[in-house]
Amino acid sequence: MSNLVNVPKNGSLANTNTHTNSNANFPTLSSWLDDVFNIELPSVFSSNFNTGITLPKVNIKETAEAFILEVAVPGMKKSDFHLDIDNQVLSISTETKEENEQKEGNYTRREFGYSSFKRTFNLPESVNDEMINANYKDGILSVLLPKKEEAKQKPARSIKIS
């Protein structure tokens, strides 16, 4: 019996002998590409396996006076956050470690937890980086990014013709 593959005029591959083809256990190129590009990435790429924390959700609002950045990070303390600005890039990061030890009878149980994240934002030239401030309340880190005076929106006005 032959293990030849018939290639029709349309260019697709088709097996002429399905019950004895030694290549039957290998995926075709198209099915392999489908598998590669259609898989769901494991949660380890987007979350911390110790705590289930993912990258926090961020809302950015613009007003006439400022940009307001709101980061949803419940369960943290304000001392857990590090905000830095360097060359018009704002970095928000946290790093928390937790250790629990319980001694009972003849055994000791220890648990360690670690979580961290870092988000960076390129700030527009219109932000006055000397006046940036932040506060943390009810699980929301709010960062106020005031605009420079010349970048603030001016109210509409009428011009009289003389």
Side-chain angles (χ1 to χ4, degrees):
M1 298 203 154
S2 172
N3 287 336
L4 296 177
V5 175
N6 183 22
V7 180
K9 291 180 183 176
N10 67 4
S12 67
L13 294 178
N15 289 337
T16 57
N17 193 348
T18 58
H19 61 281
T20 60
N21 190 346
S22 63
N23 293 330
N25 293 332
F26 295 105
T28 63
L29 179 61
S30 64
S31 70
W32 179 77
L33 287 173
D34 286 344
D35 290 344
V36 168
F37 290 108
N38 292 328
I39 61 170
E40 291 185 27
L41 293 176
S43 62
V44 73
F45 289 116
S46 61
S47 69
N48 180 299
F49 69 93
N50 285 335
T51 62
I53 293 177
T54 59
L55 280 177
K57 304 290 185 196
V58 175
N59 290 329
I60 301 174
K61 300 180 211 173
E62 181 179 9
T63 67
E65 304 287 317
F67 295 96
I68 302 163
L69 188 89
E70 295 175 328
V71 185
V73 280
M76 308 288 286
K77 299 178 290 203
K78 80 175 153 178
S79 60
D80 292 335
F81 296 101
H82 305 283
L83 275 74
D84 300 303
I85 186 160
D86 183 24
N87 200 21
Q88 291 299 106
V89 175
L90 174 68
S91 299
I92 302 172
S93 61
T94 67
E95 183 176 327
T96 59
K97 297 176 186 175
E98 184 178 328
E99 294 183 30
N100 292 324
E101 184 173 320
Q102 182 180 12
K103 293 183 179 187
E104 289 184 25
N106 297 340
Y107 71 91
T108 300
R109 184 179 102 195
R110 289 187 178 146
E111 292 182 0
F112 302 93
Y114 176 83
S115 66
S116 68
F117 75 83
K118 182 174 185 177
R119 298 283 311 254
T120 58
F121 303 91
N122 292 323
L123 299 180
E125 293 284 329
S126 60
V127 170
N128 182 352
D129 60 359
E130 298 294 322
M131 300 298 291
I132 295 173
N133 64 46
N135 67 37
Y136 181 66
K137 182 179 179 186
D138 298 330
I140 304 291
L141 175 67
S142 297
V143 182
L144 180 67
L145 306 163
K147 293 180 181 178
K148 294 177 181 173
E149 250 344 279
E150 60 271 13
K152 291 181 182 178
Q153 289 179 335
K154 309 283 191 267
R157 63 183 180 95
S158 295
I159 300 171
K160 291 187 179 182
I161 301 173
S162 54

